[in-house]
Structure formats: C-alpha cells, structure tokens
Amino acid sequence: MKFFSSLLALAAVATLTEAAKCKGAKQCQCLFPDRTHCCVYGSSAAPGKDYDCTRLCKGATRLLLKGEKEPRKCNAGGAFTCASIFTVQDRIPCYNY
C-alpha cells in the first residue's frame, strides 16, 4: 500500500510541474481572477519551446487598450490556460514589469 501512495505522490508532483508549461506551439494565455482572458505570452509559433506560464502570468500586465489610462494587471496569481497559435491571433499581448 505504501508503494501505491508513493507512486501517486510522484505522479501528482510530475503533473503539477508539467502543468506550469505550455509545450510546442502553445501560448500562455494569462487570466484575470474571474478566469477570463487577460493577455497572451508567446507570439512565436516555434515548436518545442516551453514557457513557465505560472511565472510569466504571475506579474503579467496587458498592453494599454483604447480608453484605458494605464495598463491593467491580470492579478490572478499566475492563473493561465494554454492556447494554440490560431486561438491567440486576436488576443492582447502581455508584458511583465
């Protein structure tokens, strides 16, 4: 039984580590606290490139939009989804300051 518990714990750690990245031609789509789209990191479609999306999205701010006086921070503690290069074509880019 202890073997299965250890195996389960190891699988959970591997899953959490891998979940922080978007692989291949996936982009990090940073989210607002309500889980709506904030902005996107990774405009390159270069396959095989991994991004630490949690780290990138943790301090993400989207570019200034028309009518805004200052750029809006995502403020979701690093929450993100992975998106394909096709999905992010019309999305707002992120920067991290």
Side-chain angles (χ1 to χ4, degrees):
M1 191 64 170
K2 187 170 181 148
F3 172 75
F4 290 112
S5 298
S6 298
L7 191 58
L8 185 59
L10 184 60
V13 168
T15 302
L16 289 174
T17 301
E18 199 55 40
K21 297 181 180 182
C22 291
K23 288 189 170 268
K26 298 278 187 183
Q27 317 301 304
C28 303
Q29 182 170 263
C30 303
L31 304 174
F32 286 119
D34 66 357
R35 309 287 293 166
T36 58
H37 166 259
C38 177
C39 56
V40 174
Y41 270 110
S43 59
S44 168
K49 203 165 201 174
D50 291 343
Y51 299 98
D52 182 346
C53 295
T54 302
R55 182 182 57 78
L56 290 171
C57 291
K58 191 163 270 195
T61 302
R62 70 179 185 188
L63 293 179
L64 189 64
L65 297 178
K66 186 177 182 180
E68 291 180 337
K69 296 200 187 301
E70 60 184 59
R72 187 170 172 199
K73 289 202 159 291
C74 297
N75 288 329
F80 71 94
T81 59
C82 295
S84 74
I85 191 68
F86 302 108
T87 303
V88 300
Q89 290 300 308
D90 62 343
R91 300 296 166 112
I92 303 160
C94 296
Y95 67 93
N96 211 336
Y97 286 103

